[in-house]
Amino acid sequence: MLAFANLLDRLILTPSRNAKLQLLVDYFAETPDPDRGLAVAAITGDLKIANVKPALLRSLIEERMDPVLFELSYDYVGDMAETISLVWPDTASDAPTNPTLSDVINTLQTTSRQSASSVVVDLLGNLETTPRWALLKLITGGLRIGVSSRLLKQALANFGHVDVSEIEELWHGLDVPYTDLFQWLEGKADKPVSTAVALFRPVMLAHALEDGDHSKITPQDFAVEWKWDGIRIQAVGEAGTARLYSRTGDDISPAFPDIVDAMNFDAALDGELLVQAKGEEQDGLKPVASFGDLQQRLNRKKVSKKQLETHPAFIRIYDILQEGDENL
């Protein structure tokens, strides 16, 4: 747990992208399974702790200090996990313990809702400040350490000396704690074979023009697409399963059930996700709302009926990447 806590602490304090990558690679190299895989799941948001909710933490700390003083402290620090980790009373009779990350996560995942309070109190009282903070981060689910899913996948690629596209192709068919993935990246096993359907296919992203590029461009050889006010997505349907992915391979299907329900095809489509504005179609094209309207739908696990009506989403397709078994 201490190694994981130190990793989070250093990632927060490290602004450089390359330095963050190296911290992650070093952690993967020095940490055994399943701890490193669980750390990956925690960073990507794929770690599920069902019966321990953030609201429990507030009630526990308010039993141990004046609620007004806690609110003032929270307002000053700005982060609930950090605030509680600093003010939590040390109740352990012996020296603080250092359980493994897998021990802590297993304890949290197997506790019942009824016993969650006593389990969390016991864990907090037997950890030092930094591991205590990391535990609280796990419970709140918002690490906020400046590491995106894409950066994490790049770190895994660097660790295994493979192209990041190989990680992206496998990602949604892998299970936590990613033991098969790490065994392959270390050269101890063959590359995992995914049996999942409707997987993400890595796409070519936009790149800025470099010096000298303008003179190489022949306009007649290029097709130009308008920069629409949305996000790049990939819509994949296969064997009755439909998924909507962001450009970095994050599954955003839950936020767009209207799109997913309409994906009755067996193909992978590349395009732009947009919200329709009020007004009539012009030249066969739906009017496009602002990006702010699209943000009302993004990053949600559930969307209300009203949002579906007021912010209807649609896709403007650029390319078809796969149709049936044919890779285009």
Side-chain angles (χ1 to χ4, degrees):
M1 189 66 185
L2 181 59
F4 175 68
N6 287 336
L7 172 67
L8 297 187
D9 194 37
R10 294 184 68 185
L11 286 170
I12 284 179
L13 298 173
T14 302
S16 165
R17 180 179 184 275
N18 288 337
K20 285 181 184 288
L21 286 171
Q22 192 58 53
L23 284 172
L24 289 164
V25 170
D26 291 344
Y27 178 81
F28 298 150
E30 296 165 2
T31 306
D33 295 320
D35 278 27
R36 58 186 176 180
L38 291 170
V40 168
I43 292 171
T44 58
D46 294 322
L47 188 67
K48 307 302 179 186
I49 301 175
N51 291 328
V52 184
K53 303 297 183 183
L56 173 66
L57 301 177
R58 181 180 287 272
S59 65
L60 289 176
I61 193 61
E62 289 184 351
E63 292 172 2
R64 288 161 175 78
M65 73 180 292
D66 180 79
V68 175
L69 179 58
F70 171 71
E71 287 297 335
L72 291 170
S73 303
Y74 182 20
D75 182 64
Y76 181 80
V77 175
D79 180 87
M80 179 178 288
E82 187 172 355
T83 306
I84 295 176
S85 68
L86 292 170
V87 301
W88 189 267
D90 293 317
T91 57
S93 56
D94 301 318
T97 59
N98 181 29
T100 64
L101 178 61
S102 54
D103 286 340
V104 170
I105 291 176
N106 182 64
T107 299
L108 292 174
Q109 289 180 331
T110 56
T111 189
S112 66
R113 191 164 296 179
Q114 292 74 21
S115 61
S117 178
S118 60
V119 167
V120 171
V121 168
D122 186 58
L123 285 170
L124 290 172
N126 286 281
L127 291 171
E128 294 179 329
T129 302
T130 302
R132 184 187 298 155
W133 164 75
L135 167 66
L136 294 165
K137 281 289 191 183
L138 287 175
I139 294 173
T140 58
L143 297 187
R144 295 195 300 175
I145 55 174
V147 176
S148 64
S149 293
R150 172 73 181 188
L151 186 68
L152 193 282
K153 292 168 189 172
Q154 184 62 62
L156 288 167
N158 291 0
F159 171 69
H161 305 289
V162 300
D163 192 274
V164 69
S165 63
E166 293 192 75
I167 304 292
E168 291 178 326
E169 287 173 348
L170 290 170
W171 190 254
H172 292 282
L174 298 172
D175 295 320
V176 178
Y178 312 114
T179 304
D180 293 344
L181 175 67
F182 278 107
Q183 291 294 302
W184 167 57
L185 294 177
E186 289 186 316
K188 298 177 180 178
D190 293 335
K191 184 177 180 179
V193 177
S194 177
T195 57
V197 296
L199 294 176
F200 175 74
R201 292 159 175 79
V203 296
M204 182 181 294
L205 301 179
H207 295 276
L209 292 173
E210 303 290 343
D211 292 340
D213 284 345
H214 291 85
S215 61
K216 302 174 186 176
I217 294 175
T218 51
Q220 66 272 20
D221 294 330
F222 287 84
V224 179
E225 180 63 56
W226 187 263
K227 177 63 181 75
W228 301 104
D229 207 4
I231 65 166
R232 179 87 172 273
I233 56 87
Q234 189 174 130
V236 186
E238 184 180 3
T241 298
R243 290 197 178 101
L244 194 65
Y245 295 105
S246 71
R247 68 186 186 123
T248 53
D250 295 320
D251 189 344
I252 59 173
S253 306
F256 297 93
D258 44 348
I259 297 290
V260 174
D261 289 345
M263 290 169 55
N264 55 349
F265 52 76
D266 197 8
L269 308 178
D270 175 33
E272 191 86 357
L273 179 65
L274 302 163
V275 162
Q276 183 175 346
K278 295 180 180 180
E280 300 295 326
E281 293 187 6
Q282 294 184 356
D283 299 324
L285 296 179
K286 295 178 179 179
V288 177
S290 70
F291 184 72
D293 289 306
L294 177 60
Q295 284 183 309
Q296 301 298 314
R297 296 283 305 271
L298 290 171
N299 302 320
R300 291 180 179 272
K301 293 182 180 179
K302 290 184 178 180
V303 182
S304 68
K305 183 179 179 180
K306 182 178 180 180
Q307 287 174 320
L308 292 173
E309 294 173 350
T310 59
H311 296 76
F314 70 99
I315 300 173
R316 190 149 281 163
I317 301 298
Y318 295 159
D319 294 296
I320 178 168
L321 308 178
Q322 179 118 359
E323 183 178 15
D325 295 329
E326 184 180 4
N327 188 338
L328 299 170

